[in-house]
Amino acid sequence: MRKINLDEPICSVDYAFKRIGGKYKGRIIWYLNAHVVMRYGELRRAIRDITPKMLTQTLRELEDDKLITRKVYHEVPPKVEYSLTETGAELIPFIDHLRQWGDRQIEKEKLNPILC
Amino acid sequence: MRKINLDEPICSVDYAFKRIGGKYKGRIIWYLNAHVVMRYGELRRAIRDITPKMLTQTLRELEDDKLITRKVYHEVPPKVEYSLTETGAELIPFIDHLRQWGDRQIEKEKLNPILC
DNA sequence: CGGAATCCGTTAAGATACTG
DNA sequence: CAGTATCTTAACGGATTCCG
């Protein structure tokens, strides 16, 4: 996700989807909002179906995009904390809206929900 | 997009992203809301970078998902009209939120915007 | 602990040509 | 007009192993 051509004009709906599309971005942003700050391992346990590769890759993209910040503690064992930036936090109302809509649909379709 | 396993439990953020993810879904829903009803050719002209294959494929997914309806007029030349369902229309406030956020970011990054 | 590296399969998307 | 069909490419995501 997020290979935005700087020269080509882009429409804002398209742009926004490029920035938050991808299999795990929504959930990562959502969890970081709920927990304020989370370590790598915490995120990994929270998103059970994610592999380290995808977690790292997604976190990097979000960081490059300035939606999250990454704070490294140079100690042994290493410790890295992730949290939302202000820009990232601005997405919360929208993700929440989406989540509520998703909840209603899951109920309608009688699917098997789990908590985000 | 949207290959939801009916047996596995799913979180609502994830679920919602599956249903509206995909390169063109956001824009199609947005345009259908603005124009109320649009023909195939109109959508094609509105979304200039879409190929007929992707347009048809995306419209079918949205239809299967009951986010849009497809009305065929059996006449010559053929005429097909697309419009939002009630469920699809429920997504508008959230897409609008995302669009506004996208606008701000585009301005910040000094990108080259075009109207949605 | 928090990754990086490599390999590989799957899925999404694009190009192009054709049709009822 | 509103699509299909076929082929190819590119992006996404997973599994596994290893490292400071």
Side-chain angles (χ1 to χ4, degrees):
Chain A
M1 272 294 168
R2 164 122 260 239
K3 237 147 287 168
I4 292 172
N5 185 332
L6 297 174
D7 301 323
E8 300 243 340
I10 189 164
C11 111
S12 46
V13 171
D14 227 29
Y15 170 91
F17 270 96
K18 284 200 184 199
R19 279 188 70 172
I20 55 138
K23 191 166 176 185
Y24 304 101
K25 288 191 179 173
R27 267 192 287 173
I28 290 180
I29 293 173
W30 183 248
Y31 288 135
L32 285 182
N33 179 63
H35 297 266
V36 185
V37 34
M38 289 177 87
R39 296 180 61 174
Y40 184 91
E42 289 185 277
L43 278 164
R44 202 170 159 186
R45 282 187 294 278
I47 308 171
R48 288 207 206 82
D49 54 335
I50 202 168
T51 58
K53 179 198 157 187
M54 286 312 296
L55 181 53
T56 301
Q57 182 180 307
T58 309
L59 288 169
R60 290 290 179 280
E61 285 180 22
L62 289 170
E63 197 193 351
D64 292 345
D65 254 2
K66 299 185 186 6
L67 298 182
I68 67 171
T69 54
R70 176 169 181 269
K71 186 172 182 185
V72 183
Y73 293 83
H74 292 287
E75 51 187 53
V76 183
K79 177 177 166 187
V80 181
E81 288 180 344
Y82 296 92
S83 55
L84 288 182
T85 62
E86 219 172 289
T87 305
E90 288 173 19
L91 288 168
I92 293 301
F94 134 79
I95 293 182
D96 192 39
H97 189 133
L98 195 54
R99 194 185 51 78
Q100 290 177 36
W101 180 87
D103 269 341
R104 287 201 303 278
Q105 304 309 314
I106 286 175
E107 200 166 332
K108 267 196 209 168
E109 296 194 33
K110 299 192 189 357
L111 295 177
N112 194 0
I114 52 174
L115 256 62
C116 291
Chain B
M1 273 294 164
R2 165 121 259 239
K3 235 148 288 167
I4 293 170
N5 186 333
L6 297 173
D7 300 323
E8 302 244 338
I10 188 162
C11 109
S12 46
V13 171
D14 228 30
Y15 170 91
F17 270 97
K18 284 200 185 200
R19 276 188 71 169
I20 55 139
K23 192 166 177 185
Y24 304 100
K25 287 192 181 173
R27 269 191 286 172
I28 290 178
I29 294 172
W30 183 248
Y31 289 134
L32 285 183
N33 179 63
H35 296 266
V36 184
V37 35
M38 288 177 87
R39 297 179 62 176
Y40 184 90
E42 290 184 277
L43 278 164
R44 203 171 157 182
R45 281 187 296 278
I47 306 170
R48 286 206 209 80
D49 55 334
I50 203 169
T51 59
K53 179 199 154 190
M54 285 311 296
L55 180 52
T56 301
Q57 183 180 307
T58 309
L59 287 170
R60 291 288 180 282
E61 285 180 24
L62 290 170
E63 198 194 350
D64 291 345
D65 254 0
K66 299 186 186 8
L67 298 181
I68 66 172
T69 53
R70 176 170 180 269
K71 185 172 183 187
V72 184
Y73 294 83
H74 291 288
E75 51 188 51
V76 184
K79 178 176 165 185
V80 181
E81 288 182 343
Y82 294 92
S83 55
L84 289 181
T85 61
E86 218 172 290
T87 306
E90 286 173 21
L91 288 167
I92 292 302
F94 122 80
I95 292 183
D96 193 40
H97 187 130
L98 195 54
R99 193 184 54 78
Q100 291 176 35
W101 179 88
D103 270 340
R104 288 201 302 277
Q105 305 308 313
I106 287 176
E107 201 166 332
K108 268 197 209 167
E109 295 193 35
K110 300 194 193 348
L111 295 177
N112 193 2
I114 52 174
L115 256 62
C116 291

